[in-house]
Amino acid sequence: MKLDARIPAGPLEKKWDLHRFEMKLVNPANKRKHTVIVVGSGLAGASAAASLGELGYRVRCFCFQDSPRRAHSIAAQGGINAAKNYQNDGDSVDRLFYDTIKGGDFRAREANVYRLAQVSVNIIDQCVAQGVPFAREYGGLLSNRSFGGAQVSRTFYARGQTGQQLLLGAYQALERQVAAGTVAMFPRTEMLDLVVVDGQARGIITRDLVSGKVETQLADAVVLATGGYGNVFYLSTNAKGCNVTATFRAWKRGAAFGNPCYTQIHPTCIPVSGDYQSKLTLMSESLRNDGRVWVPKASRDSRAPGEIPESERDYYLERKYPSFGNLSPRDIASRAAKEVCDEGRGVGETGLGVYLDFADAIRRLGEATIRERYGNLFEMYERITGENPYRVPMRIFPAAHYTMGGLWVDYNLMSTIPGLFVLGEANFSDHGANRLGASALMQGLADGYFIIPYTLGDYLATSRPAPVDPAHAEVRATEDAVRQRVTRLLGGDGKRTVDDFHRALGKIMWEHCGMERNADGLRRALREIPALRQEFTSDVRVVGTGEELNQSLEKAGRVADFLEFAELMCRDALHREESCGGHFRVEHQTPDGEAQRDDERFAYVAAWEYAGEGREPVLHKEKLVFENVHLATRSYK
Ligand SMILES: Cc1cc2nc3c(=O)[nH]c(=O)nc-3n(C[C@H](O)[C@H](O)[C@H](O)COP(=O)(O)OP(=O)(O)OC[C@H]3O[C@@H](n4cnc5c(N)ncnc54)[C@H](O)[C@@H]3O)c2cc1C
């Protein structure tokens, strides 16, 4: 396998414009002769399918939910970044670029990140034109707030429902194309494998989740926008359905997987409350604009928060990182929370929690303003915990949230399999080792609205894919493999539920490949995961049949993939003998406990190639070249 990032020549700020001019176009009359598959209808997939449909391609769009509107993107709360500089507070494309590169701990590609910052401004215009109801100032200008890792206010938002409003915009654009006949939508249809013919991605194998029918879908190119794999930890802030199946299956067909160990642990989630919990809830980072994070100075202080005087509180983020304070990036704020809890200063019954306190902000701004800004988040918190955050501080703790790793893609967002493009959270691209808040929505929409419409055309115009015979041996073999996998999952006669295995895997991953990692723990995980997988094969019980709606079967397939994929994550985490962003190896830290990078040895993207059943995957390295930023130790102090 050869990695070629295909970064265009020319100065950084000109690369995308020059590249767009140099790329080949497909004549409008020829566009309708091309069929394109888009898997996923979240922000990345819906925006891509709508844009490609609008251009005139014949698009087939798939999602496993009953409606594209239920994609996980709908859960995004806080906002979307863009370098509009409406606040006149010093923002620019260059600053957004630099913040993102630094936020990712210098482990992302300069050219991609610069393009992301450039097109961020177009996204806002596009969404406003669609009618997305962003918050506005009294004078009518769009309003902004701050997110972690930035000292400017560049985050556009729609209360605490930004993802929902953006998705409704993209969904409307998608439905317009459905009505126009350019996009065919296939809800409740799961992609279970990728069809590769003569080295090119030529289709997918799907299973109808209602009837169980397995089918082959052929096309000239395939776009995966299938989201992230944070649910490998079992407990995460992701929707329960989020999974790795599409990208993992593509990996097994030859697509390199980039930086699988880079996961984001979000500092502000409602703490775990018990063993039978199946889901965690995020409290948006936007709350840190006004909420102050603290714990008691004394360990095991069991007084109610209101009884602890100011002088006995430790506002540890403000103390340790005076420049960024409560808006320190997520990896740093998460580790700081873990540190104070490890010292015995955590709050709540389990001691695994810290306070996020709005008392100051309520005093300063009044309850009405806080309600206007965060009302739905406060209500959600109260419904889950039974506590009123207007009166007592919220309790929060870090949880698995986002995956920076994903299928490796070049500058055109194409994987190592020609004709397979990967967008949104599913690719590894722009966030390096730590994503800044409000940058995922920006990236998903940049990929879907502004990048794939150009790069896919260039691929089709230059590769001119010939028709594929549905009876081709590769097509038949891939479809057979899917049927066999489904039959195998249903054929077991074990005793344990799928959830039981998933929970056990999550515990291993959280303990050894979570917020902190070390070589011994990772080696242990690499022994425990195959053993658990073995037990899964012999002792899982999947109820029901394959010819009906069967969520036990759906979950079994996804958990089986997680059980293999988890090993790749641990292998990647073990090989990366440095700390960077969300990947914190305890062996590699500065004397004051910050991540210590090793740029000499690890300034590269780790791209793993599948080498066959029972064989160790092969590591390829894409060297990261920094010509426009200076590689510095990240500091938010
Ligand atoms: C609680 C929460 C809050 C967040 N808030 C913010 C925020 O404020 N700002 C921000 O920038 N980011 C935020 N994020 C991150 C952001 O929401 C996601 O990264 C982003 O929405 C992912 O979009 P996507 O289109 O790549 O994938 P998704 O929205 O996850 O969509 C995936 C799509 O793929 C489909 N799919 C998956 N697998 C298959 C398969 N095998 N077959 C068929 N279809 C499949 C699904 O049906 C779905 O349509 C938040 C994340 C969480 C968990």
Side-chain angles (χ1 to χ4, degrees):
M1 175 181 289
K2 200 171 161 309
L3 297 180
D4 179 1
R6 297 206 286 170
I7 298 169
L12 189 62
E13 61 283 3
K14 290 269 168 57
K15 281 184 195 295
W16 179 231
D17 283 347
L18 292 172
H19 191 55
R20 275 196 300 170
F21 178 65
E22 279 162 8
M23 277 188 288
K24 296 250 176 316
L25 299 173
V26 179
N27 157 345
N30 285 340
K31 287 199 178 95
R32 58 180 170 266
K33 297 181 188 155
H34 288 293
T35 303
V36 179
I37 285 173
V38 177
V39 189
S41 62
L43 283 175
S47 58
S51 305
L52 295 171
E54 180 83 42
L55 282 171
Y57 295 107
R58 278 180 308 176
V59 180
R60 313 190 116 218
C61 183
F62 298 82
C63 73
F64 64 72
Q65 289 92 349
D66 56 350
S67 157
R69 276 173 311 173
R70 289 195 206 276
H72 160 68
S73 289
I74 205 163
Q77 301 171 348
I80 175 167
N81 287 332
K84 283 281 199 188
N85 194 28
Y86 282 166
Q87 306 301 316
N88 199 22
D89 58 357
D91 202 10
S92 63
V93 166
D94 289 279
R95 191 174 295 281
L96 176 52
F97 159 71
Y98 183 73
D99 285 349
T100 309
I101 288 274
K102 175 183 168 190
D105 217 352
F106 303 91
R107 289 292 175 265
R109 229 185 249 152
E110 278 191 343
N112 285 54
V113 179
Y114 198 87
R115 173 178 63 186
L116 177 65
Q118 281 177 313
V119 302
S120 70
V121 294
N122 306 117
I123 296 171
I124 302 303
D125 297 343
Q126 169 99 356
C127 296
V128 168
Q130 286 170 348
V132 172
F134 285 120
R136 286 177 186 269
E137 306 289 357
Y138 179 74
L141 210 61
L142 296 187
S143 179
N144 290 137
R145 54 190 177 198
S146 304
F147 259 59
Q151 287 177 315
V152 294
S153 286
R154 62 161 74 98
T155 305
F156 294 77
Y157 63 100
R159 293 184 80 201
Q161 314 171 337
T162 316
Q164 180 175 355
Q165 298 306 330
L166 290 171
L167 190 60
L168 287 173
Y171 170 74
Q172 284 171 182
L174 179 67
E175 286 302 304
R176 196 172 105 79
Q177 296 308 316
V178 171
T182 57
V183 177
M185 189 68 223
F186 296 80
R188 291 214 163 168
T189 310
E190 185 165 26
M191 166 192 165
L192 291 180
D193 216 331
L194 179 76
V195 176
V196 181
V197 176
D198 298 330
Q200 288 180 321
R202 296 308 307 268
I204 59 174
I205 310 294
T206 57
R207 183 170 171 275
D208 182 315
L209 296 178
V210 179
S211 68
K213 193 168 174 206
V214 172
E215 275 183 307
T216 297
Q217 306 279 348
L218 296 174
D220 296 329
V222 176
V223 177
L224 294 188
T226 49
Y229 50 85
N231 278 348
V232 69
F233 292 96
Y234 184 66
L235 285 181
S236 89
T237 61
N238 288 194
K240 283 296 284 177
C242 293
N243 68 88
V244 76
T245 291
T247 48
F248 185 67
R249 295 278 138 209
W251 180 64
K252 287 203 155 179
R253 297 279 168 204
F257 214 107
N259 300 327
C261 81
Y262 287 172
T263 41
Q264 175 160 86
I265 310 295
H266 197 299
T268 55
C269 306
I270 300 182
V272 177
S273 60
D275 273 352
Y276 291 98
Q277 195 168 352
S278 60
K279 170 91 188 71
L280 293 176
T281 305
L282 177 77
M283 287 287 103
S284 167
E285 181 162 302
S286 59
L287 293 168
R288 289 197 275 147
N289 274 265
D290 288 306
R292 297 179 71 196
V293 178
W294 65 275
V295 286
K297 280 189 179 161
S299 63
R300 296 181 220 301
D301 185 337
S302 56
R303 286 175 291 174
E307 288 166 16
I308 303 179
E310 276 296 315
S311 59
E312 292 175 42
R313 298 177 177 192
D314 180 11
Y315 293 90
Y316 58 88
L317 287 177
E318 296 170 33
R319 171 174 57 81
K320 289 178 73 170
Y321 307 103
S323 306
F324 284 72
N326 293 298
L327 281 172
S328 303
R330 293 175 180 178
D331 53 337
I332 289 183
S334 293
R335 278 201 297 280
K338 181 176 185 306
E339 196 179 291
V340 293
C341 291
D342 288 349
E343 289 164 8
R345 299 196 285 139
V347 301
E349 263 170 43
T350 58
L352 295 176
V354 300
Y355 291 128
L356 180 63
D357 196 339
F358 293 87
D360 266 3
I362 291 174
R363 256 194 309 275
R364 195 176 63 241
L365 304 164
E367 192 171 312
T369 305
I370 295 298
R371 193 178 298 279
E372 197 179 291
R373 285 184 188 167
Y374 315 110
N376 67 319
L377 300 172
F378 275 46
E379 187 188 326
M380 191 156 62
Y381 182 86
E382 185 167 3
R383 281 202 200 165
I384 292 172
T385 63
E387 289 173 4
N388 175 354
Y390 293 99
R391 302 281 161 269
V392 289
M394 287 183 178
R395 280 177 296 112
I396 50 160
F397 194 67
H401 176 66
Y402 179 88
T403 46
M404 282 78 68
L407 289 183
W408 182 91
V409 287
D410 64 15
Y411 187 74
N412 285 350
L413 305 182
M414 190 162 84
S415 72
T416 50
I417 302 178
L420 178 68
F421 292 79
V422 193
L423 319 184
E425 194 173 339
N427 72 24
F428 89 102
S429 72
D430 302 352
H431 310 293
N434 171 60
R435 174 176 71 81
L436 290 184
S439 289
L441 304 184
M442 170 173 71
Q443 182 227 325
L445 291 180
D447 291 359
Y449 283 135
F450 295 106
I451 299 169
I452 194 72
Y454 296 95
T455 59
L456 184 87
D458 180 60
Y459 170 76
L460 294 172
T462 47
S463 70
R464 296 167 182 262
V468 179
D469 181 354
H472 191 289
E474 283 299 328
V475 180
R476 297 273 56 89
T478 315
E479 194 178 306
D480 285 349
V482 166
R483 286 184 205 282
Q484 282 166 21
R485 227 173 13 248
V486 173
T487 311
R488 243 192 339 267
L489 286 169
L490 283 165
D493 189 22
K495 304 231 162 7
R496 287 170 66 182
T497 62
V498 175
D499 275 348
D500 198 25
F501 283 100
H502 196 178
R503 201 179 291 118
L505 175 68
K507 279 201 173 127
I508 299 174
M509 293 304 285
W510 181 248
E511 194 150 325
H512 302 302
C513 198
M515 222 183 324
E516 251 183 30
R517 297 131 184 221
N518 65 58
D520 283 351
L522 288 164
R523 287 202 190 94
R524 195 163 151 189
L526 284 168
R527 288 191 301 275
E528 288 178 358
I529 296 165
L532 186 65
R533 200 163 57 230
Q534 194 59 44
E535 282 174 46
F536 178 88
T537 313
S538 59
D539 202 19
V540 73
R541 180 160 192 86
V542 181
V543 293
T545 72
E547 289 80 40
E548 60 183 333
L549 181 70
N550 184 343
Q551 294 196 316
S552 171
L553 176 61
E554 284 172 35
K555 275 198 265 184
R558 294 171 194 161
V559 171
D561 287 336
F562 275 140
L563 279 164
E564 286 189 60
F565 175 70
E567 216 176 307
L568 185 67
M569 284 177 72
C570 293
R571 202 175 289 284
D572 186 40
L574 182 62
H575 110 280
R576 192 168 277 278
E577 291 266 4
E578 65 163 353
S579 293
C580 53
H583 170 65
F584 191 77
R585 284 285 300 265
V586 283
E587 306 94 322
H588 303 284
Q589 51 182 307
T590 60
D592 50 354
E594 303 292 347
Q596 190 157 42
R597 291 198 322 262
D598 181 345
D599 295 332
E600 279 283 295
R601 293 169 60 217
F602 290 101
Y604 62 76
V605 177
W608 295 88
E609 179 185 6
Y610 179 64
E613 223 53 59
R615 296 225 184 99
E616 284 202 5
V618 181
L619 173 64
H620 300 268
K621 299 174 184 177
E622 180 202 335
K623 190 170 162 27
L624 290 168
V625 180
F626 294 94
E627 290 168 334
N628 299 276
V629 297
H630 170 63
L631 273 170
T633 300
R634 207 164 145 233
S635 169
Y636 293 93
K637 291 194 169 166

